[in-house]
Amino acid sequence: RNEMTLNIEEEYALDLGVDYEETAGLVIDRVLESEKCPYETEVNLLLVSDEEIHRMNREFRQIDRSTDVLSFPQVEYPSPADFSWAEEHETDCFDPDSGELVLGDIVVSLDHVKEQAAQYGHGCRREFAFLIVHSMLHLLGYDHMEAREAAVMEKKQADILDSLGIRRQPSEE
């Protein structure tokens, strides 16, 4: 198990019956393990409303609508999950106090988690976990702009969630 610091800020309280910290921790840990991250890491997770993620999407991406998740990577990668760049740019990538590789920030709209879980017919925990996996892959340099890249990300997302036993199943709510 990778040592990891997960900083969670619940800016918006919406009880979806999900232990956000436990679920995010499990998922992030599994992503780092599957991508063979050699470092102790730090990830910041911000839980927000639809209104707030809309504002952030407009401000940081010039896209004037809400979204389900935003990823703000701290590390650049020559290719996905190639950690050599971090070593060469140590002062930019590692926390000088903890020595952890700072991967970046994940912002999740809890309103979207609830809506999308209902839309796709599965539980909120599954939807939340999916968004964390998706965002973590972005923090590790993966993207889905091209069909080939999207296929790689989709396979990794499915494999990670399956390995944790977090599957698409009708919600018990």
Side-chain angles (χ1 to χ4, degrees):
R1 182 177 159 85
N2 278 333
E3 281 302 311
M4 161 198 45
T5 300
L6 174 60
N7 302 309
I8 296 186
E9 192 176 324
E10 281 190 60
E11 199 172 274
Y12 176 63
L14 183 61
D15 184 5
L16 300 177
V18 176
D19 183 331
Y20 301 121
E21 188 168 0
E22 185 256 350
T23 301
L26 268 175
V27 170
I28 292 168
D29 195 52
R30 186 60 53 94
V31 171
L32 294 170
E33 188 183 296
S34 75
E35 294 302 313
K36 298 176 178 43
C37 178
Y39 305 109
E40 294 181 5
T41 59
E42 179 182 318
V43 173
N44 301 307
L45 173 58
L46 183 60
L47 305 177
V48 300
S49 65
D50 230 23
E51 195 179 307
E52 178 58 14
I53 210 164
H54 185 154
R55 186 195 65 73
M56 293 175 83
N57 206 19
R58 187 173 55 232
E59 181 181 334
F60 296 108
R61 298 178 64 225
Q62 288 69 57
I63 298 174
D64 193 10
R65 62 178 163 76
S66 73
T67 187
D68 48 8
V69 65
L70 290 171
S71 311
F72 296 99
Q74 184 70 36
V75 181
E76 289 181 38
Y77 300 88
S79 61
D82 172 350
F83 297 96
S84 61
W85 191 89
E87 291 160 25
E88 294 159 21
H89 299 81
E90 198 174 319
T91 52
D92 300 329
C93 299
F94 291 89
D95 180 309
D97 297 325
S98 67
E100 293 173 323
L101 177 62
V102 180
L103 293 176
D105 302 334
I106 297 172
V107 183
V108 173
S109 162
L110 295 180
D111 292 322
H112 259 77
V113 169
K114 185 178 181 176
E115 285 165 28
Q116 289 176 179
Q119 183 184 340
Y120 297 122
H122 55 239
C124 290
R125 182 172 186 256
R126 176 12 178 111
E127 187 60 29
F128 179 74
F130 171 81
L131 295 177
I132 299 294
V133 172
H134 184 82
S135 192
M136 276 299 295
L137 290 172
H138 280 311
L139 295 189
L140 296 177
Y142 288 92
D143 211 338
H144 48 79
M145 298 308 259
E146 297 167 23
R148 185 182 50 78
E149 294 173 330
V152 167
M153 268 187 87
E154 286 164 18
K155 172 135 178 44
K156 286 180 179 291
Q157 289 165 178
D159 289 349
I160 287 163
L161 292 172
D162 282 350
S163 77
L164 291 168
I166 301 175
R167 295 187 174 79
R168 279 199 163 148
Q169 50 208 188
S171 56
E172 293 81 22
E173 290 129 35

